[in-house]
């Protein structure tokens, strides 16, 4: 028996996929615990209503960041794999230089339009004018976040330990800061400042570790190479940007609609559901981070069969794990939900639906990553235009007639539709790579 356990352990640690998953999973687990505690501290200190204000400010910033973000990490990972296959170091540097430039453009556009349009959004949402200053300050903090370059470089070169360190540092700073504010009975401004400091620390660490990784792989002089036009790389980045823009209704706009029709308390509850669901995401996110670079390497070597096999195996494993997670949450929610929501009995059904959504969306990670690795990014645009148009129409009806339950049920339907269409497209094209 001991020999069998030893053999299993040896196989796990010899597999770089398993090692990377365990590293990210353990790090995300630690971050989740600190995040969970931080949520308890802030809600018990300032209440769901003021916590909802913080969530609204975060949502406002993420709305504009998501609107202009090129998601260059997806294209960077894909094209770094091709450049490495061809032993083309100059192209690697060119792709990195493009990623940095696109990220910089994204940050400038986010700040500019976020500041210019804040009064319009505040008027539409009916928020207090005081929230304006918080929105501007939060936007400024996000100017440190070169998301596409940092995530792309660290994931491609498998330096997940740096990503984990950054996330844990952010979670610890936020948790300890919130605890201090809770003990000292501070007001909303103190909690807001702590949240900003925690995010700034994360972004700075990500930037530092990215530069360190580039230096390790002799790519730190990427800024010296002559910039060349890379139509495929830029086209992939543009499609990724359009995809994230069209997908805003499902991500940030949903929270704004909840706030508009159901108020700050419901916004806080929805955020709490997100934190609970993040416990499940701690399984899905690490796997997604690991398999996307791996799938791109497989497909760059024309080994589509292995990529498909990896995707299908992932679905089965994750669905089994998430089914157990759902049963656990349903059986135990009465023991802990009362510490996060003041009137938990009203939100049991929405919670169960949200857990179901989290389980399904994570079990379909294989489909989404394979779809991107095959270069089908341009299909995301018509898929999301059609599905999200239907989602928005149904959402306005469901939020007014069925409250938070209707919102999450609509959310789940949207996820089912997107996965179904992607599966149909890949099968129809016989899983042939496009870009």
């Amino acid at each position: 028996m001991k020999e069998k356990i030893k053999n299993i352990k040896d196989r796990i640690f010899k597999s770089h996929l398993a090692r990377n998953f365990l590293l990210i999973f353990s790090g995300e687990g630690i971050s989740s615990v600190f995040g969970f505690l931080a949520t308890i501290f802030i809600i018990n200190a300032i209440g769901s209503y003021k916590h909802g204000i913080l969530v609204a400010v975060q949502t406002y910033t993420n709305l504009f960041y998501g609107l202009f973000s090129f998601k260059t990490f997806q294209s960077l990972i894909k094209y770094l794999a091709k450049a490495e296959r061809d032993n083309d170091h100059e192209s690697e540097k060119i792709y990195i230089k493009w990623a940095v430039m696109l990220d910089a453009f994204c940050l400038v556009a986010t700040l500019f339009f976020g500041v210019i349009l804040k009064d319009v959004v505040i008027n539409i949402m009916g928020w207090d004018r005081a929230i304006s200053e918080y929105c501007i300050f939060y936007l400024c903090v996000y100017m440190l976040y070169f998301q596409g370059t940092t995530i792309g470089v660290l994931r491609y070169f498998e330096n997940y330990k740096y990503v984990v360190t950054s996330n844990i540092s952010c979670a610890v700073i936020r948790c300890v800061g919130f605890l201090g504010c809770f003990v000292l009975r501070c007001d909303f401004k103190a909690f807001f400042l702590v949240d900003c400091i925690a995010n700034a620390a994360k972004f700075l660490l990500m930037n530092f570790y990215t530069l360190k990784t580039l230096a390790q792989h002799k790519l730190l002089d990427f800024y010296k190479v002559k910039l060349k036009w890379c139509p495929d790389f830029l086209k992939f980045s543009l499609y990724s940007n359009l995809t994230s823009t069209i997908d805003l209704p499902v991500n940030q706009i949903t929270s704004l609609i909840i706030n508009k029709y159901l108020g700050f308390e419901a916004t806080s509850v929805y955020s709490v559901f997100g934190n609970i669901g993040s416990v499940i995401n701690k399984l899905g996110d690490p796997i997604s981070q690991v398999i996307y670079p791996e799938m791109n390497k497989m497909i760059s070597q024309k080994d589509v069969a292995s990529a498909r096999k990896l995707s299908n195996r992932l679905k089965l494993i994750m669905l089994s794990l998430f089914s157990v997670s759902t049963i656990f949450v349903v059986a135990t929610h009465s023991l802990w939900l009362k510490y996060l929501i003041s009137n938990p009995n009203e939100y049991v059904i929405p919670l169960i639906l949200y857990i179901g959504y989290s389980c399904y969306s994570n079990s379909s990670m294989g489909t989404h990553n394979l779809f991107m690795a095959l270069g089908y990014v341009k299909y995301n645009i018509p898929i999301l235009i059609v599905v999200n148009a239907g989602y928005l129409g149904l959402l306005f009806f469901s939020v007014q007639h069925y409250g938070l339950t209707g919102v999450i049920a609509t959310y789940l339907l949207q996820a089912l539709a997107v996965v179904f269409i992607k599966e149909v497209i890949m099968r129809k094209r016989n899983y042939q790579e496009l870009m």
Side-chain angles (χ1 to χ4, degrees):
M1 186 64 180
K2 290 183 178 180
E3 189 65 28
K4 288 183 179 180
I5 295 174
K6 184 178 182 299
N7 290 335
I8 293 172
K9 182 179 177 181
D10 290 341
R11 283 200 301 270
I12 290 174
F13 284 97
K14 285 179 181 178
S15 169
H16 70 283
L17 284 177
R19 287 198 308 272
N20 290 335
F21 166 75
L22 290 173
L23 175 63
I24 300 171
F25 176 68
S26 59
E28 291 293 326
I30 295 171
S31 298
S32 181
V33 170
F34 281 108
F36 192 78
L37 291 174
T39 302
I40 293 176
F41 295 147
I42 189 171
I43 290 177
N44 282 275
I46 63 176
S48 294
Y49 182 86
K50 288 187 177 180
H51 177 240
I53 294 176
L54 176 60
V55 174
V57 173
Q58 294 169 339
T59 301
Y60 179 84
T61 303
N62 289 328
L63 172 65
F64 283 93
Y65 194 88
L67 184 64
F68 295 103
S69 175
F70 273 86
K71 302 292 183 185
T72 46
F73 66 87
Q74 295 174 334
S75 51
L76 190 58
I77 289 172
K78 182 174 181 63
Y79 285 92
L80 281 178
K82 290 187 175 184
E84 185 179 45
R85 178 197 62 193
D86 300 332
N87 199 28
D88 188 350
H89 298 298
E90 183 179 358
S91 290
E92 288 181 304
K93 295 176 182 179
I94 290 173
Y95 295 142
I96 293 169
K97 189 171 184 177
W98 271 116
V100 172
M101 291 175 61
L102 290 173
D103 279 346
F105 169 79
C106 162
L107 295 176
V108 172
T110 297
L111 182 60
F112 178 78
F113 287 102
V115 172
I116 293 296
L117 298 175
K118 63 180 174 58
D119 291 334
V120 176
V121 175
I122 288 172
N123 288 334
I124 293 174
M125 297 303 299
W127 291 340
D128 189 288
R129 303 301 303 175
I131 204 172
S132 175
E133 295 179 5
Y134 297 123
C135 290
I136 293 174
F137 197 87
Y138 218 80
L139 283 166
C140 291
V141 171
Y142 264 66
M143 293 304 99
L144 300 171
Y145 194 22
F146 282 73
Q147 182 194 51
T149 307
T150 56
I151 292 178
V153 169
L154 294 177
R155 287 186 186 178
Y156 181 76
F157 291 108
E158 299 188 14
N159 273 331
Y160 295 103
K161 61 183 178 181
Y162 294 147
V163 179
V164 168
T165 300
S166 301
N167 289 336
I168 292 177
S169 299
C170 175
V172 170
I173 292 171
R174 180 181 288 112
C175 183
V176 173
F178 282 6
L179 175 59
C181 292
F182 174 75
V183 172
L184 297 174
R185 298 183 179 180
C186 297
D187 60 7
F188 173 83
K189 290 183 179 179
F191 284 92
F192 176 79
L193 183 60
V194 167
D195 192 68
C196 290
I197 292 172
N199 281 323
K202 173 185 174 180
F203 301 155
L204 289 172
L205 281 172
M206 290 283 282
N207 293 336
F208 170 75
Y209 288 134
T210 298
L211 294 175
K212 183 177 180 179
T213 299
L214 292 175
Q216 290 171 344
H217 293 273
K218 299 180 180 179
L219 296 171
L220 191 56
D221 60 343
F222 67 89
Y223 60 92
K224 295 181 180 179
V225 299
K226 184 178 179 180
L227 198 63
K228 294 181 180 178
W229 187 249
C230 303
D232 289 340
F233 177 85
L234 294 172
K235 190 186 300 182
F236 197 98
S237 298
L238 179 60
Y239 283 140
S240 297
N241 172 256
L242 292 174
T243 297
S244 63
T245 300
I246 297 168
D247 213 24
L248 283 175
V250 180
N251 297 320
Q252 309 307 326
I253 294 180
T254 297
S255 184
L256 292 176
I257 290 174
I258 291 172
N259 182 272
K260 175 70 176 177
Y261 289 98
L262 303 179
F264 283 116
E265 184 175 341
T267 304
S268 175
V269 171
Y270 183 70
S271 175
V272 169
F273 285 174
N275 288 332
I276 296 171
S278 71
V279 176
I280 296 174
N281 295 339
K282 299 310 176 188
L283 285 172
D285 286 347
I287 292 180
S288 179
Q289 291 181 39
V290 169
I291 68 168
Y292 180 65
E294 190 67 20
M295 282 183 173
N296 276 285
K297 290 174 183 177
M298 290 175 177
I299 290 173
S300 70
Q301 300 295 330
K302 307 301 179 184
D303 190 6
V304 178
S306 294
R308 286 183 61 188
K309 185 178 179 181
L310 181 60
S311 174
N312 292 331
R313 186 185 303 166
L314 173 65
K315 292 175 193 174
L316 293 175
I317 294 173
M318 298 300 284
L319 197 57
S320 299
L321 289 173
F322 293 141
S323 297
V324 174
S325 300
T326 303
I327 294 171
F328 175 79
V329 170
V330 171
T332 64
H333 71 272
S334 60
L335 301 176
W336 46 264
L337 189 58
K338 58 188 176 183
Y339 297 108
L340 296 170
I341 300 174
S342 56
N343 46 350
N345 292 333
E346 295 182 19
Y347 296 104
V348 173
I349 293 177
L351 171 63
I352 294 172
L353 281 174
Y354 193 89
I355 296 301
Y357 159 77
S358 297
C359 290
Y360 177 77
S361 62
N362 279 281
S363 64
S364 60
M365 285 292 183
T367 296
H368 295 305
N369 282 285
L370 181 60
F371 197 80
M372 293 294 290
L374 287 170
Y376 292 177
V377 61
K378 68 178 183 180
Y379 289 114
N380 277 330
I381 298 172
I383 291 172
L384 293 175
I385 286 176
V386 174
V387 174
N388 286 354
Y391 169 79
L392 276 178
L394 187 58
L395 179 62
F396 280 106
F397 171 81
S398 61
V399 71
Q400 295 178 69
H401 290 82
Y402 301 103
L404 204 54
T405 301
V407 172
I408 298 172
T410 307
Y411 211 177
L412 179 57
L413 288 174
Q414 190 272 352
L416 288 165
V418 170
V419 172
F420 174 76
I421 295 172
K422 285 185 176 182
E423 291 281 5
V424 169
I425 290 174
M426 287 191 292
R427 290 176 185 174
K428 193 170 183 178
R429 295 196 64 91
N430 199 28
Y431 297 91
Q432 295 297 313
E433 184 182 11
L434 287 184
M435 297 176 66

